[in-house]
Amino acid sequence: MRQSPIKKRDPNLKRVLLSIFLCIPALAFCFRYTPYFFPIRTSDVARQRFHSVTFYDRHGHLLQEVLSESSTRSVHISIEQVSPYFLDAIIATEDKNFYRHGGVDYLAVLRALYKNFKSKQVVSGASTITLQLARLIHPRQRTLLNKVKEAFFAYRMEAGMEKEAILEEYINRLPMGGNLYGIESAAGTYFGIPSSDLTLTQATFLASIPNSPKRFNPYHHSKKIKKRQRIVLERMVMQGSIPRERIEGVLKEDILLKPQSSSFLAPHFVFHLMHTLPKDAQIVKTTIDVELQKMVSEQINKVLSRLNKYHVTNAAVLLLENDTGEVLAYLGSADYFDEETDGNFNGVRALRQPGSALKPFLYLLAMEEGFSPATLISDIPTHYRMPRGVYSPRNYSEDFHGPIRLREALANSLNIPAVRTLAKIGVDGFLHRLHEYGFTSLDKEAEHYGIGLALGGGEVTLYELSRAYMCLARMGAFYPIKEIMEINGIEQEIAEGKRGISTPQFNYLIADILGDAHARTAEFGFNSVLNLPFPCCVKTGTSFRFCDNWTVGFTRDYTLGIWVGNFDHTPMLKVSGVSGAGPMFADIMLMLYHDKRWPEKFPQPDGLVKVRICPLSGKKCNTYCSTSIEELIPARDVAAYEISSCDMHIQRGDETATVVPAKYRIWAEELGIETQLADYVEENKFQIANPKNGAVYHRLPNLASEFQSINFKLNCSRKDQRITWFLNEKPIQTTHQDHSFLWQIVPGDFILSVVSEEDEKRSSRVQFRVK
């Protein structure tokens, strides 16, 4: 039997393994002692300290003490000026062997490896103060390679800096919650004292924060920080810094924190500015008015407390001065420090759906293209074929108003007339106009938004929206928003961006409509919160599913924009613009004028003429019109007004006293039906006969559901046309000749609509419920 040869070990492999084994100590030696040839000095670290800037309001009041380039507050302090209690606490907690290792504590590393292996998860770390400082100077992702780089950097610091210098840089860079870095900033912000005056209680309280600044936020997690404070005190006892008897006494002491608002004024505004400043900026005088900022914050939180039960957690506000474009108040959220509601999120700059808040700009463009406040627009069931199905806009109230003038359509924020108007003037033109107003967030093609853009089918910011409304207040003159008055004592001017977008005549007409309390009574009532005791133009907006609501408006002096909602995009409980942001808008506007003369009306520009019209047709009254009202129209339309009289009130046969009812005529006209006589319209109407609008059905519990149904039936004079039926906007049936069928009932709220395939203008719609 043949035996296989015995394989001999390759002598070269032995040499390679031996070389590697011998190289490890050499590499370790080089890694440990090479840093002495490339030491990092205190002056090198000092160059990488936070660059500080001081912000003031327009009157010289301090907004934020010192801010760094990364939007963090930091004040550098010498280690001799820091309370010994804090130094002892931070060493005992973060690195008890700080004075005994050269940057890396190998005993701590071995102890951490053992604990983590035993627990099968990371339960202990081994970062020394020097390693943590390396990470604070050069933040990196937590990878093995980066940990090696941090260790090498730590060795270089230990080679070139004294222990006290390392500790000084460390305590001046410690994360202390929110945007605070360093012990001096923390002591001043939380207690209003210098770090040298910290008591044992205060020092151990602050030493508890760096372990997890978000989890141990002093303003929101006092119980958690107390538990951490006990650990800090226990470790100080183990180090021999304090006797054990002091622990309970320290923990029983009350911690009196300085109010947040006194230390952080307009934080969202300041952090926003940090990204726009030149590198040499040190003293910045902003346009903010501290007193107005405080007033706005108080009013917002007062209203939010009433809306909390409707799942409303946040709001954002921007107050502008119309003459200069300056920001007077900037509130990014109700409470910057509220972590549960993401209070540090900047709501002024957040992208949200504007709802109806874009309608004034749509109707302004429409008037430039031939519309006027007297133009009739049909508020009737309307359907559009879209790539994803049939789009059927609805009004907020679910009602239809038939023929309605543009003034009433905008004042009452009706959705259907807005969509019909956009369909006529074109989405491309409207989107281009919005870009002229500075809505750069609408960065998709017109096809992406479609006609839904009229109802806020895109995302904009409160900043953009308020700036555009300020342009309306300036009668079409666009001004960029001004936020800074001086940098390092040098006055700042806005040299670019001022331009005219539209003529004063059409801007005045929009302002006149937005300030017309009588025109909006159909939807908002006579006692609306929007009705202020002085001239004020205002518009509300509510997005899909009640995720956002807005109120934006202006007087001759101010433009005020308010957003209300939840930063996590969860819907509010049926809170609209008039019930959410509306009360805030009214309260702030009233406070703005509580000690000053009420604003005057906008002066009427040339090129507008006041005429008397029939309120139903929007045209010059004829013999049969029973009432008339005054309306403003552009001078260009006067000639057409003179030669065209009301065609809603007409003579019926030989009876001069009888007229065709206005609603029947307009509805029929839009549906393509002959409109000479009222009874002809009645006989030829196109509408769902069953179920009736508002009907409520009850499913019987003792009868199988397959034996319970509703007969859907359509009244239609032309039986030969094909009809598509939609239930909750989803197609369910197509009928021809016999326009009726049975639908098996299920519980719920339903909207039943029908559309003729030959003519989409022929449609009908009802709502019903099955319980």
Side-chain angles (χ1 to χ4, degrees), residues 391-521:
Y391 173 55
S392 304
R394 291 178 288 178
N395 294 323
Y396 179 79
S397 65
E398 300 285 350
D399 293 330
F400 302 103
H401 300 79
I404 194 163
R405 288 174 288 118
L406 184 150
R407 173 178 291 274
E408 295 174 300
L410 173 56
N412 290 284
S413 195
L414 301 179
N415 291 336
I416 296 173
V419 172
R420 295 175 73 90
T421 300
L422 181 56
K424 289 183 179 180
I425 68 173
V427 180
D428 286 284
F430 182 42
L431 183 59
H432 176 72
R433 171 55 59 88
L434 292 176
H435 288 163
E436 289 184 307
Y437 280 109
F439 287 98
T440 56
S441 56
L442 296 172
D443 55 1
K444 304 292 191 304
E445 297 296 325
E447 291 77 12
H448 172 81
Y449 302 108
I451 55 176
L453 185 60
L455 309 183
E459 291 186 324
V460 304
T461 67
L462 179 60
Y463 193 89
E464 294 171 330
L465 199 59
S466 301
R467 181 176 56 192
Y469 272 77
M470 183 174 67
C471 183
L472 294 178
R474 295 183 57 82
M475 297 294 112
F478 181 90
Y479 261 44
I481 290 177
K482 185 176 181 179
E483 301 166 325
I484 299 174
M485 302 183 79
E486 295 178 3
I487 297 179
N488 299 338
I490 301 174
E491 188 174 349
Q492 303 296 301
E493 290 290 339
I494 299 178
E496 300 178 355
K498 299 178 181 179
R499 61 184 183 273
I501 292 181
S502 58
T503 61
Q505 292 82 4
F506 299 116
N507 280 271
Y508 179 85
L509 289 175
I510 293 296
D512 187 57
I513 294 171
L514 295 182
D516 190 343
H518 295 287
R520 60 171 169 255
T521 55

Side-chain angles (χ1 to χ4, degrees), residues 350-369:
L351 288 172
R352 311 291 296 209
Q353 288 193 341
S356 298
L358 296 180
K359 288 176 183 174
F361 309 104
L362 169 64
Y363 285 115
L364 191 152
L365 180 61
M367 286 195 283
E368 290 179 2
E369 298 190 5

Side-chain angles (χ1 to χ4, degrees), residues 300-316:
I300 290 300
N301 282 283
K302 183 178 71 174
V303 177
L304 277 179
S305 65
R306 300 199 301 262
L307 294 174
N308 186 258
K309 59 184 177 181
Y310 300 107
H311 188 53
V312 180
T313 61
N314 243 310

Side-chain angles (χ1 to χ4, degrees), residues 115-129:
K115 288 184 177 180
N116 295 339
F117 177 78
K118 188 176 181 181
S119 302
K120 297 182 180 180
Q121 59 180 339
V122 178
V123 296
S124 177
S127 290
T128 63
I129 283 177

